[in-house]
Amino acid sequence: MYNLLKGKKGIIFGALDENSIAWKTAERVHEEGGTFVLTNAPVALRMGKINDLATACNTEVVPADATSMEDLQNLFDIATEKYGKLDFILHSIGMSINVRKKKDYTDLNHEWMKKTMDISAMSFHRVMQTAFKMDAMNEGASILALTYIAGQRTFPGYGEMAEAKSMLESFARSFGYYYGVNKKVRVN
């Protein structure tokens, strides 16, 4: 440990269990001295072990459905009340019912696809929009979303998640421009 994140404050979305990238990131941020609020959708909270992570990292879990502007507003209200302006956000959210149900790409359920786009990509825009409107980020802060190479290449079996990752990356570039110019915040 080098205390690289001592004094840094943020929100980590998407830690479900010890196999998730967000979980491992939260552990490492804690080890390096950072503080954060953990969040996940209420349904995911019932399936995972996020409360164990919160205990280990001496933090709290704030349930928030990232497809709900009301939930996100509440989450950011709680986080900024606790920490003031934030230094980082990790968006580690993704879900596809089509992939879970092993639907062939040539036979996707489009209602499920809309849900995939909403949860896996549009939620990133909602998170940034909420933080932007609240002026919740410190100058020099970072907002990070996890993506996958399938956003640029074809991976059979990954379903519409490839399109969701492409959209997520586009939101990072587009919102990143506005965040960079107006607030000096990096988006990756």
Side-chain angles (χ1 to χ4, degrees):
M1 287 188 297
Y2 301 98
N3 278 324
L4 294 174
L5 298 173
K6 186 174 179 152
K8 300 298 182 184
K9 311 155 308 275
I11 300 173
I12 297 179
F13 288 81
L16 183 62
D17 60 32
E18 58 276 351
N19 297 313
S20 65
I21 295 170
W23 184 291
K24 298 296 184 190
T25 303
E27 288 177 329
R28 192 71 183 139
V29 169
H30 177 68
E31 289 170 7
E32 291 294 342
T35 54
F36 49 86
V37 168
L38 291 166
T39 188
N40 211 326
V43 67
L45 296 179
R46 292 191 299 273
M47 298 175 358
K49 304 175 186 174
I50 194 169
N51 290 319
D52 296 341
L53 178 62
T55 299
C57 294
N58 193 31
T59 192
E60 67 181 299
V61 177
V62 178
D65 177 345
T67 67
S68 164
M69 293 302 285
E70 183 179 324
D71 280 11
L72 290 172
Q73 183 67 51
N74 180 58
L75 169 65
F76 276 91
D77 286 343
I78 290 169
T80 56
E81 184 176 308
K82 182 174 185 160
Y83 298 127
K85 287 193 177 191
L86 305 174
D87 299 298
F88 66 90
I89 295 171
L90 173 64
H91 178 280
S92 181
I93 303 170
M95 189 280 303
S96 167
I97 300 169
N98 281 308
V99 171
R100 284 186 184 171
K101 299 217 181 253
K102 300 185 184 342
K103 295 286 285 180
D104 190 86
Y105 188 82
T106 61
D107 188 35
L108 295 178
N109 178 310
H110 292 104
E111 290 305 311
W112 294 347
M113 182 187 284
K114 285 190 226 177
K115 191 86 167 153
T116 297
M117 297 303 164
D118 199 23
I119 293 169
S120 304
M122 291 174 59
S123 64
F124 187 44
H125 192 282
R126 283 188 192 89
V127 165
M128 291 187 288
Q129 182 173 311
T130 303
F132 190 87
K133 286 182 175 181
M134 290 181 67
D135 194 25
M137 305 302 291
N138 277 317
E139 188 171 303
S142 293
I143 301 173
L144 176 69
L146 299 185
T147 188
Y148 183 60
I149 192 70
Q152 292 88 38
R153 296 187 183 154
T154 300
F155 282 84
Y158 199 55
E160 78 279 14
M161 283 298 295
E163 285 78 8
K165 293 302 181 180
S166 291
M167 184 185 289
L168 178 93
E169 292 171 14
S170 181
F171 287 147
R173 288 186 301 273
S174 297
F175 220 122
Y177 168 81
Y178 293 100
Y179 240 133
V181 167
N182 294 301
K183 311 256 184 202
K184 312 263 186 291
V185 171
R186 291 179 305 276
V187 177
N188 298 99

